[in-house]
Amino acid sequence: MSTPKVSKRPEGMPREVFALLCNDSKGVPPVFPTDTGQGYKQMKAKLGMRKVRPWKWMPFTNPARTDGAVFHHWRRVADEGKEYPFAKFNKKVPVPTYTDDEYNQHLQAQGWTREETNHLIDLAKRFDLRFLVMRDRWDKEKFSERSVEDLKERYYSVRTILGKVKGTSSADVKPYGFDADHERRRKEQLKRLYERTQKEIEEEQTLVTEYRRIEARKKERDKKTQDLQKLITAADNQSESRRIEKKLPKKKLQQQLARPRIDSVTVESTGIKFPDMKGSGVSVRSQRMKMPTNVGQKKIKGVEQLLQELGVESNPMPTEEICNHFNELRSDMVLLHELKTAYSTCEFELQTLRHQYEALCPGKVIDIPMTSEGQPGSSTETDGGKLKTNLAEIIDVVGSPGTPTSSHLN
């Protein structure tokens, strides 16, 4: 039994290239390429035995030229006598024309004579409304000096007036209102901007940087004010809800305690929302006391430390009443933590403003009364006499029984 001959890969040939030469059956590659008629193939040029079209050296004229110049180039004999193919690119801007009567009735303007207007229209025809070139070719010896804005203003006013007088359709001539004064002011501002010194540029950059810094401080201050207002509103809502609960009958109070607290305003304001087990199926009551994931680790550590200082178990017996009261307690602790942070921020800003005032008004001193523990409450002397301030009594904005005092928070 003869075994099929297997071709050997030549030395130096990559394996991928050699694999392209063999078919799927691992046969010997063909000696010369074959065309099966399938797949993609490049079209071959069909060369016939016809005669080549003759070319001829012939003259031609360009319709864009008015001097009648004659040029020569190679061209097919069949195209002899035809128009120059590039004549279609000879586009000219339509420039309005007027008669003596039209000028005397409609086109007279103060500061412009008939000769100056005719010269302007002639330049517009010659240079296709290239006003910079028109100003350069303006006859300064015969006429007075004119700027580019003056030429544009006069030309477009003539064009607009003639369009209205002759009743030209808007498709042929579109009215264009040129504001020369605005253009002069714009160029003057660009000139001033270009002629700035390096010192002026640096000063402007400094002012822009300072302006952005002031805007950032203002936004941060507004955000802190909004956060503080939310905390105060949350505290007021919690106090109001507890006063309402005290006025409710005992049965209704027990029915409300039987289900988890779902006060959306308070939950969203304090930034804590405990899981609500309203779905069907069996659930563990202790899951209601699980801390939500949206509460930061810093707040969670603070709550755990405060519970430890108060001697409260971190995982009490999960009865209905204990679950509700334990969640309310931790919610109050989170609110208390946020109030402390807001108070520290306000105190820092107050000290910053005091230093700024003393820097702006030398010789004047504002003494902020502070206790030994950093709380307002001691008396201080000012330029006008003695000012006694006593804020030792801290009001419990949460209003819940058993709320920790300041000694537990420090």
Side-chain angles (χ1 to χ4, degrees), residues 224 342-355:
K224 291 179 179 178
Y343 172 76
S344 301
T345 304
C346 294
E347 185 178 1
F348 176 76
E349 291 182 355
L350 185 61
Q351 294 291 341
T352 304
L353 293 175
R354 182 176 68 85
H355 292 310

Side-chain angles (χ1 to χ4, degrees), residues 306-328:
L306 195 55
L307 289 175
Q308 186 177 1
E309 293 178 0
L310 295 175
V312 180
E313 297 182 7
S314 59
N315 294 316
M317 180 65 67
T319 61
E320 287 285 346
E321 187 175 359
I322 291 178
C323 285
N324 295 329
H325 287 293
F326 189 65
N327 291 342
E328 290 179 3

Side-chain angles (χ1 to χ4, degrees), residues 84-135:
Y84 183 57
F86 293 97
K88 60 183 178 179
F89 299 106
N90 182 26
K91 302 295 182 182
K92 291 187 177 181
V93 179
V95 178
T97 57
Y98 49 85
T99 61
D100 296 338
D101 296 337
E102 291 175 348
Y103 183 86
N104 295 329
Q105 294 179 7
H106 307 285
L107 300 180
Q108 291 185 1
Q110 185 178 3
W112 283 85
T113 62
R114 174 66 182 275
E115 289 76 12
E116 284 182 317
T117 306
N118 293 340
H119 184 52
L120 173 64
I121 298 300
D122 180 62
L123 292 177
K125 291 180 181 178
R126 289 172 55 191
F127 302 110
D128 290 335
L129 298 183
R130 296 178 177 89
F131 288 97
L132 294 176
V133 183
M134 292 166 57
R135 181 185 179 278

